[in-house]
Amino acid sequence: MYSDKVLDHFANPRNVGVIEDADGMGEVGNPTCGDLMKITINVADDKTISDIKFQTLGCGAAIATSSVVTEMAMGLELDDALAITKQQIADELGGLPPEKLHCSVLAADGLADAIKDYRSKG
Amino acid sequence: MSDQDSIYLDHAATTPCDPRVVDAMNPYFTEVFGNPSTMYEGGRKAKQALEGARETIANAIGAKPEEIIFTSGGTESDNHAIIGLAEAGKMKGKKHIVTTPIEHHAVLEPAEYLKARGFELTILPVDEHGIVHPEEVKKVLRDDTAVVSIMHSNNEVGTIQPLSEISKVTKEAGVPLHTDAVQSFGSVPVNVDDLGCDLLSISSHKFYGPKGVGALYVRKGTRIRPLIRGGAQERNRRASTENISGIIGLAKAAEIALAEMEVTSARITKLRDRLVNGLFNVLTDIRHNGHPTERLPNNVNICVRGVEGEAMLLFLDMKGISASSGSACSSGSLEPSHVLRAMGIPQEVAHGSLRFTLGKKTTEEQIDKVLAEIPAIVDRLRQMTPYQQPPEHYKMPEWLAAKA
Ligand code: FES
């Protein structure tokens, strides 16, 4: 039911972990099924994401979307990273089964939360 | 991955057809294909085979042949029992139904359907092991109770109910008792008089028979309405041309299951215990779900701290191991297992649930392979988790510690 790319990101997730003393941290949960995600970012020149790591407790799709969103966001300007949608995440993975689309929300929200956290520290 | 390397540990979901069953069925597709309702030779032969199968099934559960209705499987049997009894009861002014929170959806959804049509529904409590206590049943029975439905053994955690005690209570109250024995038949003894039930459902594909066929036992004298109308088959109780090949397969599978049950179940119990003990040895922070002793020989259900079930299933699958989980993410409905929840297990703990159900082809090597693979899988996922569920839910149960 999962595409090869989903399975690849699930089995070999990129950027797993937590950045010590990160510039921004996002923590989001998925009320639908009780999954949790934490994203930490470092920001260079108050502009671009220079480092990003995630931790996720969740299904295969939740882990794969977390992983792929860190790849997508790495090196992006903050506003561009904020603009990443759940659909773009799903597309990047070659699609998700319909009942798993909501998992990509977690990834998009986690990233947005981390950026907001960074900005709130001003 | 070749079939030989793959390790199938999801027998509660379904089982492969026994080749002897397939052989027994084969002639009934092309040679003996007549409609049993016809009077010419081809029909008579089919009718004879049908009645032979009915006798086999009746004998297998200690019933009379005329008490067996062939159906399309466990789901239909459950639906027929609940809705058929409720409708018959309604004609006598009854409007109350009783069941448990750990039933299969094939029981729960018909019960909800009836509730939406004016019946009152009582859902009994279960204890932490998933046991329904007879006193609880006694408390809720009423003069207008049309049906009590309590499963014999649970598909998720394997807990077996004290049905012969429960049936004393229902008998005294004069209320018909249905039991879903879909997971039990072929695995543990199922006898309708020992259990004291009035109706009982079984499903062929759970004991190495074909899919799409099952049976419903209805004790003589029990008033029940048909579910499927449009013909006089099954003594006017279930319309539709009989699925002869399937029914022959069901009977053959039952015959084999009964003949081999003692030896097979003893062997599987040993493997099950090896797996449970092994899991507690190779993994930290896990819990065991289900009753310590009153449980099916083939069921192992655990919760693993700090991981989600579907993720474990995916990694196991990559190693050729098929299992199942009660986590929300692994269900199409995104609801965590209603069985684990009813047993008082918090949603976040059910999140890491994992079920292995063994079968007659399961070997010691396969169990050891699972035990060898699973620590790395759990470690990997735990390294990824931002959250650990509270530790108090993960302890080795005393009965297991005592054995170790
Ligand atoms: S995060 Fe639960 S279904 Fe994907």
Side-chain angles (χ1 to χ4, degrees), chain B residues 98-110:
Chain B
V98 178
T99 188
T100 82
I102 59 164
E103 300 297 312
H104 192 276
H105 284 115
V107 166
L108 289 175
E109 289 190 15

Side-chain angles (χ1 to χ4, degrees), chain A residues 4 10 16 24 26-27 47 56 58 83 87 110:
Chain A
D4 287 346
F10 165 71
V16 177
E27 265 185 308
K47 220 170 113 186
T56 292
Q87 193 55 49

Side-chain angles (χ1 to χ4, degrees), chain A residues 2 11 33 35 56 59-60 100, chain B residues 308 310-311 329 334 351 380 384:
Chain A
Y2 286 132
C33 52
D35 299 288
T56 292
C59 73
K100 292 288 178 179
Chain B
E308 186 281 322
E310 193 218 67
C329 302
L334 295 176
H351 210 50
R380 250 171 115 171
M384 254 188 263

Side-chain angles (χ1 to χ4, degrees), chain B residues 50-188:
Chain B
L50 174 67
E51 295 315 319
R54 199 184 305 283
E55 225 177 287
T56 305
I57 296 298
N59 288 337
I61 58 170
K64 300 179 196 74
E66 62 271 24
E67 294 174 318
I68 304 297
I69 303 174
F70 290 119
T71 67
S72 66
T75 298
E76 184 190 322
S77 295
D78 283 342
N79 270 265
H80 191 167
I82 315 283
I83 296 173
L85 284 176
E87 286 186 343
K90 193 176 176 183
M91 294 167 137
K92 298 204 155 182
K94 299 187 178 177
K95 56 175 197 309
H96 180 221
I97 43 190
V98 178
T99 188
T100 82
I102 59 164
E103 300 297 312
H104 192 276
H105 284 115
V107 166
L108 289 175
E109 289 190 15
E112 290 293 340
Y113 163 88
L114 290 165
K115 185 180 171 189
R117 275 153 193 78
F119 281 86
E120 285 170 50
L121 175 60
T122 301
I123 308 270
L124 295 163
V126 298
D127 70 14
E128 74 211 276
H129 300 306
I131 294 272
V132 180
H133 291 277
E135 336 51 283
E136 301 288 347
V137 181
K138 191 166 188 170
K139 268 192 240 165
V140 305
L141 291 183
R142 315 191 318 207
D143 289 341
D144 66 347
T145 306
V147 44
V148 176
S149 190
I150 297 175
M151 75 195 324
H152 183 241
S153 62
N154 182 268
N155 49 318
E156 287 190 38
V157 297
T159 297
I160 300 176
Q161 300 300 338
L163 219 67
S164 44
E165 299 301 311
I166 292 170
S167 65
K168 281 185 194 137
V169 175
T170 53
K171 221 174 268 167
E172 209 179 276
V175 177
L177 172 67
H178 165 250
T179 191
D180 173 343
V182 163
Q183 292 293 336
S184 307
F185 186 84
S187 196
V188 291

Side-chain angles (χ1 to χ4, degrees), chain B residues 254-270:
Chain B
E255 200 183 294
I256 296 171
L258 244 57
E260 300 179 352
M261 186 167 72
E262 225 181 284
V263 174
T264 307
S265 289
R267 198 182 68 81
I268 292 178
T269 303
K270 273 203 194 121

